[in-house]
Every structure is written in structure tokens, then in C-alpha cells.
Amino acid sequence: MTEVNFGRHILIDGLPNNVTPDKRELFKRHFSRRITEVLGHDQINLQLLQDRETALVKGAILSCVTEEQAEAALAKLNRFPFTKTSILTTYRWSSLEEARQDLGPYVPPTLPDGDEEEEAELVHNMAEDPEARPQFLVKGGASFDCEWYWFNWEKNEPELYRRRKLGSEDPLNRWSEVDRTNKKLSSGMICGPLPVSRPLPVWSTYGSMVISQHEKGLRVWAGRSMRLHFEITLDVNAFMVSPCEKYIIVQTPKDISIINLRTAKKIRTIGNLDLHSDDLWPVMRFSADDSLVVVCKTTVRAPDSATVPEGQLNIYPSETMKLLKGDGSAGHTFSVRGLYKAEWNPVVDTQMGYVCELGPNQGWKAVVADMVVNEDGEVEQRVLNERNFLLASRLDMLWHPAGTFLCVKVSSMKGPTEYFLFHIAERNVPITRLSIKRGYIPTRFAWQTGGDKFAVLLKKDGVGSGLGETGFLQIFMIGKQGPKVQHEVPTSATHLFWAPHGGRLAAANFDKSLLHFFVLHDNNTITDKNKLSGVNATNCEWDPTGRYFAVWVSSIHEQAMSAQYRIFDYTGNELYRKAVKTFSHFAWRPLPPTLVDSAQMKKVRESMKMLLHDYEATAAALKAASEEQVEKERKLKEDEYVKKMKQLAEQATRDKLTEIREEEYANSKWVRYNNSRIKALPEEERTVHEDVTESHVVSRRLVTSSKK
């Protein structure tokens, strides 16, 4: 039986419901002409479907020559206004075939009791995979479909996990409904800590949820099957999920709200904030454990004003969002003159860094402090260290992912950009100024994700030397004597990307299609693994395990490069490539949180020295036993060899082999010839004289001469 290619056929619904049999042929010609105009070609075959009872037209089957034409027709005809009241809807025939499959009897899941029911709805199936395969999501194609893949690390190729199915309730179908409605890819919105628009859908912090866009706001999907969790019906401009995935903050043109992701309840809405400056995003920031929220209310000083306005540093508990009291007046926790921005330590729950302007010709100040909440619900600020920067025109902060360092970028109108490092892990929080290569200025700074290193991009200090021109990449290691350059290489890279576990670094220049991979070893050596050219990309991202690096060309950006995505291993070897006619974005699924709690982690760290000592002792014992065994085998073989040689010597003595050898040598033809030749020589030629000369230095002295 010939296999039918159902991918070339699509179903069309939403036709006028008043087409009678006598008007059927006329309607078919008119409908075919309209479809031809929309598609731009006539390589189609149209079959009308009629209702058996009323004989009215109720739908149509459109057959195309190729699957690509069918995909294009699916996208162009979906939601097409055929008449004022008839809006067409298209479906894949292959989706109907999949829907016919028998899924077997329904088996209800076992529902846990109590609080476990809530967590069961947020199961992360990636953690249940025995093969530990990374997952990723892509959106593209003629109908802007979302597809969900595993990445098979044995075959080095993706394996389809889920794709869009027929039905309005299918999650993957609804994740891109805004794009299909608008018939173009959406550029998305700000959906993370960086003020950069990203296309949707996106994963949550731990990958147990997906946030997608719809006409009236956002949708949150969760669970093993990614069913609809709840909707946020607001005019959303930007949003961000908290570090522990408990809350989501949503920004509208007028205010900002915090919503509990577990219960889908809005906790509070805060207004009267500066929501128009991308530099201040996110205005609401969570502490490392999601327990506290800080909101900075700032007022920018006018350029011609000498007065620095007061800023408000407000701290709230996340569960209630009720303002905590501090040493400020009523209505705010702390009053900070010239407050600009505050950021929590990503690991230490109550530790914070903030920067503020001191005034004209007075510079800026950076402060690191502990915000301790006492039993009465009041906040006490304990300053660990602070530093004034007299010549600064602006300060920016970047915490180390492990919370051990804080980098402060000092921008100045009268001098080059500088970096200062606050060493949080040490007592009194010492501050170190980063020494920059002479003749160069820093342009990029990136912390190693899990370690004591960081990378800096440098460019020449001069007119006409912009970012992306030939400069240097320096990788520093922070030791007891401060930062020290471990590796330096010339590069024209403009972006730095550390792998999640910090052992690999990728440097990229999207404009020049360059990609450079570095590998950091345990002995603090760094290897240039691969330098690639001609790698077209508009975006890139490490997978959460740090084993794979994906680059892609998005159709959202206006550029001449063909849309595609490629996957490399951590050394820069290309593993997979796929070209897509229309492509939105690529998104690795984040890993779930570790199952080891903080107490267990502390116990493991404390027992590391003992475990290491036991391991070294065991390794030394095994090595000694191995060496003893090797020596024993060597001695045994040596004794056997000596014994065998003695036996051969005794046998040679018994057989008189020495006398036989001498006799045969004396009777040899060549020996007799040589003896005869020597006897025939004159007497003076029979003797060979050798002159041996020996020389040595008796003494040595240095004689110098000077010109007068």
C-alpha cells in the first residue's frame, strides 16, 4: 500500500454557512481564486466538504504540491478574513492523524496530600531523565510553531519531544498564537534582569514553568504536561521571575506588581516609580532566597542643579509586601541622599550593595551593607565597607555569582573607566583596584560563574579604536596578592559568555562572525581550544550543564543572514546545524534546583578535608601496594633470568663451547687471509703509532683596557 504524505494537506474551517448545492461550483471558483491571490501561486487542489444532513458547505481540504507550500498556506490562511463574518481557521491533516491514535485507558495520577500537591504540579521532567539529556525550545517555521527537543549527547543530535498539535488547548499551539494572529514574529519584551527585549515564550528560573504572551498580557504554564497555570491580564511592558521561582514581578506603563507564582495571587501593586529608565530595571529586586524585596525610589538630579535629591530605599517581606521600618521617616525604610541603584548579594540573603551620587564635583559612593531584620520587623543597616569615588560620573555594580566579590565600574568624564573589587568573603571587605594594561581601556567585564576568575575585554585608548577592533582578552585570577593575569590573547571579540559551571569561556563578535572558545583546567592553566570564523549569529547561549553552546540567527533582527541555529560542544566543534526559513529564538531549559539542602552542603564542605586526607592515604597505600607488586614481579623475572643464564653457562662448559669457538675462529678463512696479509707487509707498516695530545688551562685573568 502506498504511504500517503499527509503533510501536504490542510483543513480549512470557518467558511460561510449558507453555500447551497446549486451555488457550490460558483463558490468553489471564487474561493480558489481568493486562495490563489493570498498564496501567490495556483499549485493547489481544493475539495469542498458538505454536511450530510443539510448539504451545506462546512469546510474544505487544500492539497499542495510540497510540505513547504502547505506550511506556508497554513500560516497565511489562518485567521484570514474571507468575509466580514467568516474568519478562516486552518489545521494540519497530520495533526488529525495523530489525534486518531489510541492512547489507552485513562489512568488517574496519584495525588499527594497537603503541601506536596502544589509542588507536584511543578514537576521538572528533565530531572527525571535517566540519560541526563539537555532540553531546548525553538520557535520558527512558516506558522511560527514551538517545538520542544531533547539533545541526545550520544548521537549529538536533537530528538523531538513535543510539537504543536491540533486543538485550542494544546500548550505549544498557544505559545505562539500572538505571532500567528499578527502574521509576523514578535520581538517580545524585557523578561529578565537585563533591560533587553527577548522573544517569548521563555523558561522560568528553574525551568519548571513557561511564560508566553497573549493579547491581554501573559500566560504561565506549569507541570509535567505544561498546562495553563494562570493568566496575567495586564498591559505588561516587562516582567521578571524571582531567583527561587516563587514570585513574578510585572511592570505596566503606570505601576509594578508582584504576583505569587504558586497561588497566582497578586500580592501588591506599587506606583509612583520611575518606570521609563532602562538603567533602573528591575525597580523591584529579590534577595537570594526570595524572602525580601528592595524597591528604590530615585529622583535624578538636574544637570544645572547643585542639590542632590533624597532617595528612598524601601525593603519589604515578599509574602506580604508590607513596608519594613528602618531609620527613615514614615513611608520608607531608609533615606539615602542621591540613591541610584541597589542590588542584593546573589547568595547571602541579607547582604546588599548600593550606589548613590554625592553631588556636583563630589563624585559617587558605593556601599556594601547587611540589612538585618530583627524580631520586631525593623531593619538595621550594618555597613561592611564603603568607598567614595571623587572623579566618578556614574557607578555600576556586578555581583559575583557566588556572592564573594562585588565589582564596581567607575565611569568618569575626565578619565578612563576603572574597576574596583570588593572582597566580600574577607573580613572588613577590602577593596582592590584592577590594574589595566598600559595604553588600553576596559570595555567588558565578566565574572567566572563558579570560581575566582574573571575576564576583561580591552581596547586601545585612542580616537578611532572602538569596541570590536583588535584588542586583548585578559583572564584574571584573584589570589592573596590581588588579581593577576593568567591568560592574555589578542582578540576583536565584543561579548563574553562564561559557561554555567565556569570551566569554559566563549568570546564572540557577532558583527564579524567570530567565535573563540577557551577551556580552564584544574591546575589554573588556560587553553585556546578553537577560534572559528564565519559563524553567523545574532544570539548565543550555553546550556545549563556547560557542555554545549548554541548560536542562532533570528529573523526578528533585520539582517541579510539566513535564519538557522547551530550547536557546538564546549571546545568549539560543531555538532548540529539546522536552517529554518523563519526563526524566532532558541532557549535551553534551565536545570532544577539541587536536592541537597544548605545544611547538607555545609556538612559536605566541612568533611572535604577529612575525605581528601582519607582519599590521599588510600591512594598512597594502593600506589605502594602496586609498586611492591611490580618490584616483586621484576625480581622474580630477574631471578629466573639469572638462573637460566647460569644453566646455559654450565651447559656451555660441559659442551666445551669456548674451545670449539676458538678453534673455529682460528680455522676461519678470513682469519687466515688477514694473518697472511699482515705478514706480507713491511715491518714499518705493521706498527700503528697514535699521538695523544692533552691541553688544559693553567690560569686565566681578565684584562680590561680604557680609552683616555
Side-chain angles (χ1 to χ4, degrees):
M1 181 177 179
T2 305
E3 184 178 354
V4 180
N5 184 4
F6 291 102
R8 299 188 298 106
H9 309 286
I10 65 173
L11 300 178
I12 303 177
D13 193 11
L15 299 180
N17 57 3
N18 58 354
V19 180
T20 57
D22 57 323
K23 299 179 181 178
R24 184 172 178 177
E25 290 300 325
L26 180 63
F27 174 78
K28 182 177 180 180
R29 289 196 298 271
H30 174 66
F31 190 33
S32 300
R33 185 171 62 255
R34 291 293 302 275
I35 292 178
T36 302
E37 293 174 356
V38 174
L39 300 182
H41 63 84
D42 58 354
Q43 298 178 358
I44 58 173
N45 183 19
L46 184 67
Q47 297 292 332
L48 298 180
L49 303 176
Q50 67 177 12
D51 190 286
R52 293 182 179 179
E53 297 180 356
T54 62
L56 298 177
V57 173
K58 66 174 183 178
I61 299 177
L62 182 67
S63 301
C64 301
V65 178
T66 63
E67 292 187 14
E68 290 75 11
Q69 292 179 352
E71 287 291 324
L74 186 75
K76 292 181 179 180
L77 296 178
N78 190 42
R79 309 297 297 173
F80 176 73
F82 182 65
T83 64
K84 292 182 179 180
T85 58
S86 301
I87 307 299
L88 303 184
T89 306
T90 57
Y91 305 96
R92 289 188 180 90
W93 184 279
S94 56
S95 299
L96 292 179
E97 292 299 313
E98 294 177 1
R100 291 181 181 179
Q101 298 178 2
D102 185 12
L103 301 180
Y106 172 73
V107 179
T110 303
L111 296 178
D113 298 329
D115 297 336
E116 295 182 0
E117 180 177 358
E118 177 183 299
E119 297 299 329
E121 295 297 330
L122 303 177
V123 170
H124 195 310
N125 67 344
M126 186 174 172
E128 301 173 344
D129 181 22
E131 300 179 21
R133 295 170 296 177
Q135 295 183 18
F136 64 88
L137 185 72
V138 294
K139 184 172 78 171
S143 55
F144 317 126
D145 290 341
C146 291
E147 294 181 341
W148 191 345
Y149 289 91
W150 303 95
F151 188 78
N152 190 319
W153 49 268
E154 292 182 335
K155 298 180 180 179
N156 287 330
E157 62 182 21
E159 294 179 353
L160 183 64
Y161 173 56
R162 290 179 65 180
R163 68 167 16 134
R164 175 192 175 196
K165 293 183 179 180
L166 180 65
S168 59
E169 298 302 320
D170 179 62
L172 274 71
N173 183 28
R174 302 179 69 183
W175 288 353
S176 53
E177 62 183 7
V178 173
D179 305 87
R180 284 194 292 272
T181 301
N182 298 330
K183 297 185 178 181
K184 66 176 183 178
L185 289 174
S186 172
S187 60
M189 63 180 68
I190 297 174
C191 50
L194 297 178
V196 179
S197 294
R198 294 170 53 195
L200 275 66
V202 295
W203 299 101
S204 59
T205 308
Y206 291 139
S208 59
M209 302 180 188
V210 170
I211 295 95
S212 67
Q213 188 177 7
H214 71 102
E215 296 178 356
K216 298 181 180 180
L218 300 174
R219 287 193 177 106
V220 180
W221 310 78
R224 184 179 280 105
S225 59
M226 283 297 169
R227 61 176 179 80
L228 181 60
H229 188 36
F230 68 94
E231 293 186 357
I232 302 174
T233 54
L234 297 172
D235 185 12
V236 181
N237 288 344
F239 69 91
M240 186 184 73
V241 179
S242 64
C244 295
E245 209 180 65
K246 297 179 181 178
Y247 307 95
I248 181 173
I249 58 174
V250 177
Q251 178 178 308
T252 67
K254 297 181 180 180
D255 50 40
I256 189 167
S257 302
I258 178 172
I259 301 172
N260 190 315
L261 277 175
R262 299 299 195 270
T263 62
K265 294 181 180 179
K266 183 188 293 187
I267 301 175
R268 184 173 178 179
T269 298
I270 300 177
N272 192 23
L273 299 171
D274 184 1
L275 304 178
H276 304 289
S277 175
D278 290 341
D279 292 338
L280 300 179
W281 169 262
V283 179
M284 186 181 294
R285 298 175 184 268
F286 290 89
S287 60
D289 61 350
D290 283 3
S291 61
L292 297 174
V293 175
V294 62
V295 178
C296 295
K297 288 190 175 183
T298 61
T299 303
V300 180
R301 179 181 64 87
D304 56 349
S305 175
T307 303
V308 178
E310 292 288 333
Q312 298 177 8
L313 187 68
N314 296 331
I315 299 178
Y316 306 82
S318 303
E319 293 183 354
T320 61
M321 287 301 292
K322 294 182 179 180
L323 183 65
L324 297 176
K325 297 180 180 180
D327 59 3
S329 61
H332 55 271
T333 307
F334 296 105
S335 178
V336 181
R337 181 169 171 262
L339 178 65
Y340 176 63
K341 189 182 295 185
E343 293 186 8
W344 292 100
N345 187 312
V347 175
V348 183
D349 302 336
T350 60
Q351 203 167 87
M352 176 191 295
Y354 63 87
V355 295
C356 54
E357 184 184 7
L358 299 178
N361 301 321
Q362 297 182 34
W364 285 57
K365 180 171 69 172
V367 180
V368 177
D370 278 332
M371 301 295 179
V372 182
V373 182
N374 58 29
E375 297 179 354
D376 298 330
E378 297 181 353
V379 183
E380 178 186 355
Q381 179 181 192
R382 300 174 184 175
V383 177
L384 302 178
N385 202 346
E386 58 184 5
R387 175 73 177 265
N388 292 347
F389 300 92
L390 180 61
L391 300 179
S393 59
R394 172 173 167 170
L395 297 183
D396 292 283
M397 298 177 293
L398 181 63
W399 280 100
H400 190 286
T404 53
F405 294 93
L406 173 65
C407 175
V408 176
K409 177 183 177 182
V410 182
S411 303
S412 175
M413 298 294 292
K414 300 180 180 180
T417 301
E418 294 182 307
Y419 291 99
F420 288 81
L421 308 180
F422 289 68
H423 196 168
I424 309 299
E426 292 189 5
R427 189 177 181 181
N428 299 326
V429 189
I431 303 173
T432 304
R433 178 181 176 274
L434 180 61
S435 178
I436 302 299
K437 186 180 181 71
R438 185 182 296 273
Y440 289 83
I441 58 176
T443 58
R444 290 285 189 271
F445 183 100
W447 286 111
Q448 183 187 16
T449 308
D452 53 0
K453 299 179 180 65
F454 60 89
V456 178
L457 286 177
L458 306 176
K459 72 170 185 177
K460 286 186 177 180
D461 185 8
V463 180
S465 56
L467 183 62
E469 302 297 330
T470 302
F472 281 95
L473 166 64
Q474 290 184 332
I475 300 178
F476 290 80
M477 177 179 177
I478 303 177
K480 294 182 179 180
Q481 305 300 325
K484 182 180 179 181
V485 177
Q486 290 289 110
H487 191 71
E488 181 179 285
V489 60
T491 183
S492 58
T494 57
H495 295 79
L496 298 172
F497 303 92
W498 283 99
H501 296 288
R504 294 101 191 205
L505 173 67
N509 186 324
F510 296 138
D511 295 334
K512 296 184 178 181
S513 301
L514 298 178
L515 196 58
H516 200 171
F517 289 87
F518 302 87
V519 175
L520 285 70
H521 305 283
D522 294 337
N523 58 356
N524 291 326
T525 59
I526 301 172
T527 305
D528 299 6
K529 275 296 182 182
N530 220 334
K531 189 173 184 179
L532 307 176
S533 59
V535 181
N536 295 333
T538 57
N539 305 85
C540 58
E541 183 182 10
W542 283 99
D543 90 296
T545 66
R547 294 180 292 173
Y548 306 106
F549 188 75
V551 301
W552 64 94
V553 177
S554 176
S555 303
I556 297 174
H557 305 276
E558 295 183 0
Q559 32 74 30
M561 298 179 290
S562 58
Q564 62 176 339
Y565 67 90
R566 303 164 70 177
I567 300 177
F568 299 84
D569 66 7
Y570 67 91
T571 61
N573 298 316
E574 184 174 341
L575 304 178
Y576 183 78
R577 178 191 299 196
K578 183 177 181 180
V580 186
K581 185 176 181 181
T582 304
F583 190 71
S584 172
H585 66 289
F586 181 109
W588 291 106
R589 187 177 190 180
L591 290 175
T594 177
L595 300 178
V596 182
D597 57 27
S598 57
Q600 291 174 321
M601 289 292 293
K602 183 178 180 181
K603 184 178 179 180
V604 170
R605 290 192 183 98
E606 292 175 350
S607 61
M608 278 298 295
K609 291 184 178 180
M610 184 180 298
L611 293 174
L612 183 60
H613 180 269
D614 294 343
Y615 172 80
E616 291 177 348
T618 304
L622 292 175
K623 183 179 179 181
S626 177
E627 292 177 350
E628 182 180 356
Q629 181 66 22
V630 171
E631 179 63 22
K632 184 178 180 180
E633 293 178 357
R634 187 196 66 79
K635 188 70 170 64
L636 180 62
K637 292 180 180 180
E638 183 180 358
D639 293 343
E640 291 179 355
Y641 174 77
V642 172
K643 182 179 179 181
K644 185 67 175 177
M645 294 304 295
K646 287 182 178 180
Q647 292 176 354
L648 293 175
E650 293 174 356
Q651 182 68 28
T653 302
R654 288 194 300 269
D655 296 342
K656 298 181 180 181
L657 294 181
T658 304
E659 291 83 353
I660 295 173
R661 185 184 299 109
E662 292 177 354
E663 182 179 352
E664 290 180 351
Y665 179 78
N667 296 329
S668 172
K669 176 181 178 181
W670 293 106
V671 171
R672 293 198 306 269
Y673 171 77
N674 189 51
N675 293 337
S676 301
R677 180 177 175 277
I678 292 176
K679 289 180 181 180
L681 292 174
E683 184 66 27
E684 61 274 8
E685 294 183 10
R686 296 181 186 178
T687 305
V688 178
H689 299 277
E690 291 185 357
D691 296 333
V692 179
T693 304
E694 181 180 358
S695 63
H696 63 276
V697 178
V698 177
S699 64
R700 178 176 294 168
R701 62 175 181 161
L702 179 64
V703 179
T704 60
S705 61
S706 60
K707 296 182 180 180
K708 296 183 180 180

